[in-house]
Amino acid sequence: MKAQLLAAAALLLSAPACAQGPAPTPSRGVVSAAHPLAAEAGREILRQGGSAADAELAMMLALTVVEPQSSGIGGGGFFLYQPAKGKLVSIDGRETAPKAATPRRFLDASDKPLGRFQAIPGGLSVGVPGNIALMAMAHKRFGKLPWRALFQPAIKLAENGYPVSAPMARGMGFVSQVWKDFPAISALYAPGGKPLAAGEMVKNPALALTLRRIAAIGPDAFYKGENAKAIVATVTGAKRNPADMTLADLAGYQAKERAPICGVYRGYKMCGMGPPSSGAITVLQILGMLERFDLKAMGPNDPKAWHLIAEAMQLAYADRELYLGDPDFVSMPLKGMIDKNYLGQRSALIDPARARGSYEAGTPPGAAPRSPGVSSEVKGTTHFVAVDHDGNVATMTSTVEGPFGSQLVTGGYVLNNELTDFTFAPEKNGAPVANRVEGGKRPLSSMSPTIVYDAGGKPVFTVGAAGGKTIIMQVAKALIAHLDWGMSARESIALGLVYFGDNGIILERGTVLEPMKPALEALGHRVNVAELGLKANAAELTTTGWVGAADPRSVGEALGE
């Protein structure tokens, strides 16, 4: 089952790369999403006079309908908003563990960590969803249209139906094997016992009813009353892994405004989410270690450039695993991790002529002794961006974690499996792990919504991605491609990726990186070539206006207004 679910995760994110026609023309307002119907929902809201926040939130709701394998109101996300005038705001809508959760949540009777795919299906993996609370906070601050208006495109899609996308259909072919224990999701997406095929129409009247209630009443319709009771009953009564979520867990959930994490690379300022996202910190570490190298002169076709990127990547991820977690529970040396002197020390570990072979965490200023854990994220998730006529910029990454989350459905929407993003073993060498399970805690995430500013402080580029822990590298790679190699947003996210695993670095199959395998092996790397299941969305400011970009690996689309 593990191999099948991992394969499904990659398929859910990816479609074969194909020509997408001419690049979108510059516009005053743009949207980009991983599904064309969600992008159309965002553009519809912009055309009604909505803000970038309105369009972004409408896309989140539409993706709940048309991309249920990846995200939705049963999950959570991170939201960045740069007003045309004012300071950047970042909102944390990450899911929380039920109050009753303990560090032993994912241990068996012998105190050994459960297999990941033992833990995912059912109630044990479900965190309190955060997206509706995030939406309410963002709309209150930055919305122009009425709350109810943002729900209308998603309601129409749920009621009238939509064609199943090819990635969704291929993914269902894998995960539906476990649906015998999950009748609600089977009835919705595998009527008669056979998963729907690409192109078949699916309607979701239960989700339409849920959305109508929330649209009419507000977020209390999700976190209290009948919907909350239904979530609790679904989680506690699951045939597999029934768990301990309560009505109080739902009623007490709060989205939180967090201080963004910012840094400078090549004279550009870039900002992203702070913990419980590990995205901004790790991206800035990677870039900070690379800044002393002339990547521009090397160019994207030089294996030595990718060697340097691979070395910085592995050093940064080592710090990520050791230090980062939920800031409400864990003290973290955030300033120290992106301190210029510290990054200079870490960069000095990179030999331009030879791979290190081993990559240990460093000791940034302010760091306390800590035991490393290994978190794991399945390649689900989705990202979407919006820029409105006034120049407000919204960028959000949203997720239910793995393919179709926990496989549980209530009210027509998929419930997440985000709690399996916690490190299962709560201690190592007698010391607590930063990302261990605790009641009310938010699991560490790799989601990396990012906004880049020019020297004058104007936003000029925004990017984010889906794909589990590869998200960080997709964003870092896109930033390098755009800022060092002068690639457009579209070219930057389409460029191949280097990642890493237990057996060395991984080059994305079918890209410019694959032929570099011998050269990188000559530099001392163990090299594998594989599909990585990637999916990114972006937008850039050009001399004539904003241009959106969708990953050619996906079925996504960018639309101008």
Side-chain angles (χ1 to χ4, degrees), residues 99-128:
K99 291 293 185 183
T102 72
R104 289 188 44 83
R105 190 175 190 84
F106 295 114
L107 301 181
D108 64 18
S110 302
D111 286 340
K112 294 182 179 179
L114 295 174
R116 183 166 177 77
F117 297 97
Q118 284 180 277
I120 286 175
L124 197 67
S125 65
V126 180
V128 179

PDB file of all heavy atoms in Angstrom, residues 99-128:
ATOM      1  N   LYS A  99      -7.004  18.371  21.515  1.00  0.00           N
ATOM      2  CA  LYS A  99      -6.424  18.601  22.844  1.00  0.00           C
ATOM      3  C   LYS A  99      -6.019  17.299  23.525  1.00  0.00           C
ATOM      4  O   LYS A  99      -5.088  17.270  24.336  1.00  0.00           O
ATOM      5  CB  LYS A  99      -7.419  19.352  23.723  1.00  0.00           C
ATOM      6  CG  LYS A  99      -7.673  20.795  23.298  1.00  0.00           C
ATOM      7  CD  LYS A  99      -6.440  21.663  23.481  1.00  0.00           C
ATOM      8  CE  LYS A  99      -6.746  23.120  23.168  1.00  0.00           C
ATOM      9  NZ  LYS A  99      -5.536  23.974  23.267  1.00  0.00           N
ATOM     10  N   ALA A 100      -6.723  16.220  23.204  1.00  0.00           N
ATOM     11  CA  ALA A 100      -6.431  14.934  23.851  1.00  0.00           C
ATOM     12  C   ALA A 100      -5.206  14.237  23.275  1.00  0.00           C
ATOM     13  O   ALA A 100      -4.748  13.230  23.831  1.00  0.00           O
ATOM     14  CB  ALA A 100      -7.643  14.013  23.735  1.00  0.00           C
ATOM     15  N   ALA A 101      -4.654  14.757  22.186  1.00  0.00           N
ATOM     16  CA  ALA A 101      -3.504  14.099  21.554  1.00  0.00           C
ATOM     17  C   ALA A 101      -2.282  14.147  22.466  1.00  0.00           C
ATOM     18  O   ALA A 101      -2.024  15.149  23.135  1.00  0.00           O
ATOM     19  CB  ALA A 101      -3.187  14.768  20.226  1.00  0.00           C
ATOM     20  N   THR A 102      -1.525  13.075  22.479  1.00  0.00           N
ATOM     21  CA  THR A 102      -0.308  12.985  23.288  1.00  0.00           C
ATOM     22  C   THR A 102       0.865  12.627  22.377  1.00  0.00           C
ATOM     23  O   THR A 102       0.670  12.200  21.231  1.00  0.00           O
ATOM     24  CB  THR A 102      -0.434  11.906  24.374  1.00  0.00           C
ATOM     25  OG1 THR A 102      -0.371  10.595  23.753  1.00  0.00           O
ATOM     26  CG2 THR A 102      -1.748  12.045  25.134  1.00  0.00           C
ATOM     27  N   PRO A 103       2.096  12.766  22.873  1.00  0.00           N
ATOM     28  CA  PRO A 103       3.257  12.391  22.061  1.00  0.00           C
ATOM     29  C   PRO A 103       3.271  10.924  21.637  1.00  0.00           C
ATOM     30  O   PRO A 103       4.007  10.560  20.724  1.00  0.00           O
ATOM     31  CB  PRO A 103       4.438  12.715  22.991  1.00  0.00           C
ATOM     32  CG  PRO A 103       3.933  13.826  23.856  1.00  0.00           C
ATOM     33  CD  PRO A 103       2.498  13.477  24.112  1.00  0.00           C
ATOM     34  N   ARG A 104       2.451  10.090  22.281  1.00  0.00           N
ATOM     35  CA  ARG A 104       2.401   8.666  21.936  1.00  0.00           C
ATOM     36  C   ARG A 104       1.404   8.370  20.816  1.00  0.00           C
ATOM     37  O   ARG A 104       1.187   7.201  20.486  1.00  0.00           O
ATOM     38  CB  ARG A 104       2.000   7.838  23.169  1.00  0.00           C
ATOM     39  CG  ARG A 104       3.064   7.751  24.243  1.00  0.00           C
ATOM     40  CD  ARG A 104       2.635   6.736  25.318  1.00  0.00           C
ATOM     41  NE  ARG A 104       2.094   5.516  24.746  1.00  0.00           N
ATOM     42  CZ  ARG A 104       2.825   4.509  24.309  1.00  0.00           C
ATOM     43  NH1 ARG A 104       4.144   4.576  24.378  1.00  0.00           N
ATOM     44  NH2 ARG A 104       2.249   3.436  23.797  1.00  0.00           N
ATOM     45  N   ARG A 105       0.840   9.381  20.220  1.00  0.00           N
ATOM     46  CA  ARG A 105      -0.268   9.186  19.281  1.00  0.00           C
ATOM     47  C   ARG A 105       0.056   8.196  18.173  1.00  0.00           C
ATOM     48  O   ARG A 105      -0.789   7.388  17.775  1.00  0.00           O
ATOM     49  CB  ARG A 105      -0.673  10.523  18.664  1.00  0.00           C
ATOM     50  CG  ARG A 105      -1.970  10.464  17.847  1.00  0.00           C
ATOM     51  CD  ARG A 105      -2.383  11.845  17.374  1.00  0.00           C
ATOM     52  NE  ARG A 105      -3.723  11.886  16.785  1.00  0.00           N
ATOM     53  CZ  ARG A 105      -4.842  12.012  17.478  1.00  0.00           C
ATOM     54  NH1 ARG A 105      -4.802  12.083  18.795  1.00  0.00           N
ATOM     55  NH2 ARG A 105      -6.018  12.049  16.860  1.00  0.00           N
ATOM     56  N   PHE A 106       1.262   8.260  17.643  1.00  0.00           N
ATOM     57  CA  PHE A 106       1.615   7.409  16.509  1.00  0.00           C
ATOM     58  C   PHE A 106       2.638   6.337  16.881  1.00  0.00           C
ATOM     59  O   PHE A 106       3.468   5.943  16.059  1.00  0.00           O
ATOM     60  CB  PHE A 106       2.116   8.275  15.351  1.00  0.00           C
ATOM     61  CG  PHE A 106       1.060   9.195  14.793  1.00  0.00           C
ATOM     62  CD1 PHE A 106       1.189  10.572  14.914  1.00  0.00           C
ATOM     63  CD2 PHE A 106      -0.067   8.686  14.179  1.00  0.00           C
ATOM     64  CE1 PHE A 106       0.216  11.429  14.410  1.00  0.00           C
ATOM     65  CE2 PHE A 106      -1.049   9.525  13.677  1.00  0.00           C
ATOM     66  CZ  PHE A 106      -0.909  10.894  13.793  1.00  0.00           C
ATOM     67  N   LEU A 107       2.558   5.870  18.133  1.00  0.00           N
ATOM     68  CA  LEU A 107       3.376   4.742  18.583  1.00  0.00           C
ATOM     69  C   LEU A 107       2.493   3.521  18.783  1.00  0.00           C
ATOM     70  O   LEU A 107       1.324   3.637  19.166  1.00  0.00           O
ATOM     71  CB  LEU A 107       4.082   5.076  19.901  1.00  0.00           C
ATOM     72  CG  LEU A 107       5.024   6.285  19.899  1.00  0.00           C
ATOM     73  CD1 LEU A 107       5.653   6.459  21.279  1.00  0.00           C
ATOM     74  CD2 LEU A 107       6.113   6.139  18.836  1.00  0.00           C
ATOM     75  N   ASP A 108       3.049   2.348  18.546  1.00  0.00           N
ATOM     76  CA  ASP A 108       2.287   1.124  18.785  1.00  0.00           C
ATOM     77  C   ASP A 108       2.462   0.675  20.234  1.00  0.00           C
ATOM     78  O   ASP A 108       3.081   1.391  21.058  1.00  0.00           O
ATOM     79  CB  ASP A 108       2.683   0.026  17.799  1.00  0.00           C
ATOM     80  CG  ASP A 108       4.131  -0.427  17.939  1.00  0.00           C
ATOM     81  OD1 ASP A 108       4.760  -0.172  19.000  1.00  0.00           O
ATOM     82  OD2 ASP A 108       4.651  -1.053  17.000  1.00  0.00           O
ATOM     83  N   ALA A 109       1.940  -0.485  20.564  1.00  0.00           N
ATOM     84  CA  ALA A 109       1.978  -0.972  21.941  1.00  0.00           C
ATOM     85  C   ALA A 109       3.398  -1.213  22.431  1.00  0.00           C
ATOM     86  O   ALA A 109       3.647  -1.258  23.647  1.00  0.00           O
ATOM     87  CB  ALA A 109       1.159  -2.252  22.065  1.00  0.00           C
ATOM     88  N   SER A 110       4.338  -1.350  21.497  1.00  0.00           N
ATOM     89  CA  SER A 110       5.745  -1.574  21.865  1.00  0.00           C
ATOM     90  C   SER A 110       6.557  -0.282  21.822  1.00  0.00           C
ATOM     91  O   SER A 110       7.789  -0.326  21.857  1.00  0.00           O
ATOM     92  CB  SER A 110       6.379  -2.604  20.917  1.00  0.00           C
ATOM     93  OG  SER A 110       5.667  -3.824  20.949  1.00  0.00           O
ATOM     94  N   ASP A 111       5.862   0.859  21.753  1.00  0.00           N
ATOM     95  CA  ASP A 111       6.502   2.173  21.682  1.00  0.00           C
ATOM     96  C   ASP A 111       7.316   2.375  20.405  1.00  0.00           C
ATOM     97  O   ASP A 111       8.222   3.211  20.367  1.00  0.00           O
ATOM     98  CB  ASP A 111       7.396   2.427  22.901  1.00  0.00           C
ATOM     99  CG  ASP A 111       6.578   2.723  24.150  1.00  0.00           C
ATOM    100  OD1 ASP A 111       5.402   3.105  24.006  1.00  0.00           O
ATOM    101  OD2 ASP A 111       7.114   2.576  25.258  1.00  0.00           O
ATOM    102  N   LYS A 112       6.969   1.657  19.359  1.00  0.00           N
ATOM    103  CA  LYS A 112       7.611   1.852  18.068  1.00  0.00           C
ATOM    104  C   LYS A 112       6.683   2.666  17.173  1.00  0.00           C
ATOM    105  O   LYS A 112       5.461   2.511  17.226  1.00  0.00           O
ATOM    106  CB  LYS A 112       7.918   0.502  17.415  1.00  0.00           C
ATOM    107  CG  LYS A 112       8.964  -0.311  18.164  1.00  0.00           C
ATOM    108  CD  LYS A 112       9.252  -1.607  17.441  1.00  0.00           C
ATOM    109  CE  LYS A 112      10.323  -2.419  18.174  1.00  0.00           C
ATOM    110  NZ  LYS A 112      10.600  -3.712  17.477  1.00  0.00           N
ATOM    111  N   PRO A 113       7.244   3.546  16.352  1.00  0.00           N
ATOM    112  CA  PRO A 113       6.399   4.349  15.462  1.00  0.00           C
ATOM    113  C   PRO A 113       5.581   3.475  14.519  1.00  0.00           C
ATOM    114  O   PRO A 113       6.079   2.476  13.977  1.00  0.00           O
ATOM    115  CB  PRO A 113       7.400   5.204  14.684  1.00  0.00           C
ATOM    116  CG  PRO A 113       8.614   5.262  15.563  1.00  0.00           C
ATOM    117  CD  PRO A 113       8.671   3.933  16.252  1.00  0.00           C
ATOM    118  N   LEU A 114       4.333   3.846  14.341  1.00  0.00           N
ATOM    119  CA  LEU A 114       3.487   3.172  13.366  1.00  0.00           C
ATOM    120  C   LEU A 114       4.050   3.367  11.963  1.00  0.00           C
ATOM    121  O   LEU A 114       4.737   4.355  11.680  1.00  0.00           O
ATOM    122  CB  LEU A 114       2.070   3.751  13.398  1.00  0.00           C
ATOM    123  CG  LEU A 114       1.234   3.558  14.662  1.00  0.00           C
ATOM    124  CD1 LEU A 114      -0.071   4.337  14.538  1.00  0.00           C
ATOM    125  CD2 LEU A 114       0.947   2.077  14.905  1.00  0.00           C
ATOM    126  N   GLY A 115       3.750   2.435  11.092  1.00  0.00           N
ATOM    127  CA  GLY A 115       4.019   2.672   9.690  1.00  0.00           C
ATOM    128  C   GLY A 115       3.175   3.846   9.228  1.00  0.00           C
ATOM    129  O   GLY A 115       2.021   3.996   9.623  1.00  0.00           O
ATOM    130  N   ARG A 116       3.765   4.693   8.379  1.00  0.00           N
ATOM    131  CA  ARG A 116       3.063   5.900   7.969  1.00  0.00           C
ATOM    132  C   ARG A 116       1.695   5.582   7.378  1.00  0.00           C
ATOM    133  O   ARG A 116       0.710   6.269   7.643  1.00  0.00           O
ATOM    134  CB  ARG A 116       3.921   6.668   6.960  1.00  0.00           C
ATOM    135  CG  ARG A 116       3.283   7.982   6.528  1.00  0.00           C
ATOM    136  CD  ARG A 116       4.260   8.868   5.807  1.00  0.00           C
ATOM    137  NE  ARG A 116       3.620  10.083   5.353  1.00  0.00           N
ATOM    138  CZ  ARG A 116       3.319  11.114   6.131  1.00  0.00           C
ATOM    139  NH1 ARG A 116       3.608  11.058   7.412  1.00  0.00           N
ATOM    140  NH2 ARG A 116       2.731  12.183   5.648  1.00  0.00           N
ATOM    141  N   PHE A 117       1.624   4.527   6.591  1.00  0.00           N
ATOM    142  CA  PHE A 117       0.370   4.227   5.928  1.00  0.00           C
ATOM    143  C   PHE A 117      -0.533   3.321   6.755  1.00  0.00           C
ATOM    144  O   PHE A 117      -1.616   2.956   6.322  1.00  0.00           O
ATOM    145  CB  PHE A 117       0.650   3.693   4.527  1.00  0.00           C
ATOM    146  CG  PHE A 117       1.324   4.742   3.686  1.00  0.00           C
ATOM    147  CD1 PHE A 117       2.700   4.759   3.532  1.00  0.00           C
ATOM    148  CD2 PHE A 117       0.591   5.760   3.115  1.00  0.00           C
ATOM    149  CE1 PHE A 117       3.320   5.755   2.788  1.00  0.00           C
ATOM    150  CE2 PHE A 117       1.198   6.767   2.371  1.00  0.00           C
ATOM    151  CZ  PHE A 117       2.570   6.757   2.211  1.00  0.00           C
ATOM    152  N   GLN A 118      -0.076   2.986   7.940  1.00  0.00           N
ATOM    153  CA  GLN A 118      -0.994   2.495   8.969  1.00  0.00           C
ATOM    154  C   GLN A 118      -1.735   3.667   9.594  1.00  0.00           C
ATOM    155  O   GLN A 118      -2.907   3.569   9.954  1.00  0.00           O
ATOM    156  CB  GLN A 118      -0.220   1.793  10.096  1.00  0.00           C
ATOM    157  CG  GLN A 118       0.292   0.411   9.807  1.00  0.00           C
ATOM    158  CD  GLN A 118       1.026  -0.117  11.033  1.00  0.00           C
ATOM    159  OE1 GLN A 118       2.205   0.181  11.244  1.00  0.00           O
ATOM    160  NE2 GLN A 118       0.346  -0.884  11.849  1.00  0.00           N
ATOM    161  N   ALA A 119      -1.040   4.772   9.750  1.00  0.00           N
ATOM    162  CA  ALA A 119      -1.562   5.907  10.512  1.00  0.00           C
ATOM    163  C   ALA A 119      -2.473   6.818   9.698  1.00  0.00           C
ATOM    164  O   ALA A 119      -3.344   7.479  10.253  1.00  0.00           O
ATOM    165  CB  ALA A 119      -0.391   6.716  11.071  1.00  0.00           C
ATOM    166  N   ILE A 120      -2.275   6.867   8.383  1.00  0.00           N
ATOM    167  CA  ILE A 120      -2.993   7.862   7.570  1.00  0.00           C
ATOM    168  C   ILE A 120      -4.493   7.599   7.472  1.00  0.00           C
ATOM    169  O   ILE A 120      -5.297   8.494   7.755  1.00  0.00           O
ATOM    170  CB  ILE A 120      -2.363   7.969   6.173  1.00  0.00           C
ATOM    171  CG1 ILE A 120      -1.031   8.714   6.249  1.00  0.00           C
ATOM    172  CG2 ILE A 120      -3.302   8.686   5.204  1.00  0.00           C
ATOM    173  CD1 ILE A 120      -0.280   8.770   4.932  1.00  0.00           C
ATOM    174  N   PRO A 121      -4.948   6.428   7.026  1.00  0.00           N
ATOM    175  CA  PRO A 121      -6.385   6.277   6.781  1.00  0.00           C
ATOM    176  C   PRO A 121      -7.182   6.290   8.081  1.00  0.00           C
ATOM    177  O   PRO A 121      -6.854   5.586   9.036  1.00  0.00           O
ATOM    178  CB  PRO A 121      -6.492   4.909   6.086  1.00  0.00           C
ATOM    179  CG  PRO A 121      -5.108   4.556   5.666  1.00  0.00           C
ATOM    180  CD  PRO A 121      -4.204   5.202   6.659  1.00  0.00           C
ATOM    181  N   GLY A 122      -8.216   7.098   8.131  1.00  0.00           N
ATOM    182  CA  GLY A 122      -9.082   7.128   9.302  1.00  0.00           C
ATOM    183  C   GLY A 122      -8.886   8.340  10.174  1.00  0.00           C
ATOM    184  O   GLY A 122      -8.257   9.330   9.794  1.00  0.00           O
ATOM    185  N   GLY A 123      -9.426   8.253  11.407  1.00  0.00           N
ATOM    186  CA  GLY A 123      -9.536   9.421  12.261  1.00  0.00           C
ATOM    187  C   GLY A 123      -8.274   9.889  12.951  1.00  0.00           C
ATOM    188  O   GLY A 123      -8.154  11.070  13.293  1.00  0.00           O
ATOM    189  N   LEU A 124      -7.310   9.000  13.160  1.00  0.00           N
ATOM    190  CA  LEU A 124      -6.125   9.335  13.955  1.00  0.00           C
ATOM    191  C   LEU A 124      -5.310  10.463  13.335  1.00  0.00           C
ATOM    192  O   LEU A 124      -4.674  11.247  14.042  1.00  0.00           O
ATOM    193  CB  LEU A 124      -5.243   8.093  14.104  1.00  0.00           C
ATOM    194  CG  LEU A 124      -4.182   8.106  15.201  1.00  0.00           C
ATOM    195  CD1 LEU A 124      -4.831   8.119  16.578  1.00  0.00           C
ATOM    196  CD2 LEU A 124      -3.262   6.885  15.062  1.00  0.00           C
ATOM    197  N   SER A 125      -5.335  10.560  12.031  1.00  0.00           N
ATOM    198  CA  SER A 125      -4.488  11.531  11.315  1.00  0.00           C
ATOM    199  C   SER A 125      -5.160  12.883  11.109  1.00  0.00           C
ATOM    200  O   SER A 125      -4.530  13.802  10.590  1.00  0.00           O
ATOM    201  CB  SER A 125      -4.103  10.962   9.945  1.00  0.00           C
ATOM    202  OG  SER A 125      -5.247  10.806   9.122  1.00  0.00           O
ATOM    203  N   VAL A 126      -6.426  13.032  11.504  1.00  0.00           N
ATOM    204  CA  VAL A 126      -7.186  14.236  11.174  1.00  0.00           C
ATOM    205  C   VAL A 126      -6.914  15.354  12.178  1.00  0.00           C
ATOM    206  O   VAL A 126      -7.099  15.176  13.389  1.00  0.00           O
ATOM    207  CB  VAL A 126      -8.695  13.947  11.126  1.00  0.00           C
ATOM    208  CG1 VAL A 126      -9.477  15.228  10.776  1.00  0.00           C
ATOM    209  CG2 VAL A 126      -9.001  12.853  10.110  1.00  0.00           C
ATOM    210  N   GLY A 127      -6.482  16.503  11.676  1.00  0.00           N
ATOM    211  CA  GLY A 127      -6.346  17.691  12.502  1.00  0.00           C
ATOM    212  C   GLY A 127      -7.551  18.590  12.349  1.00  0.00           C
ATOM    213  O   GLY A 127      -8.303  18.497  11.368  1.00  0.00           O
ATOM    214  N   VAL A 128      -7.753  19.481  13.316  1.00  0.00           N
ATOM    215  CA  VAL A 128      -8.863  20.437  13.233  1.00  0.00           C
ATOM    216  C   VAL A 128      -8.632  21.334  12.031  1.00  0.00           C
ATOM    217  O   VAL A 128      -7.609  22.021  11.945  1.00  0.00           O
ATOM    218  CB  VAL A 128      -8.958  21.277  14.518  1.00  0.00           C
ATOM    219  CG1 VAL A 128     -10.105  22.285  14.401  1.00  0.00           C
ATOM    220  CG2 VAL A 128      -9.158  20.385  15.738  1.00  0.00           C
TER     221      VAL A 128
END
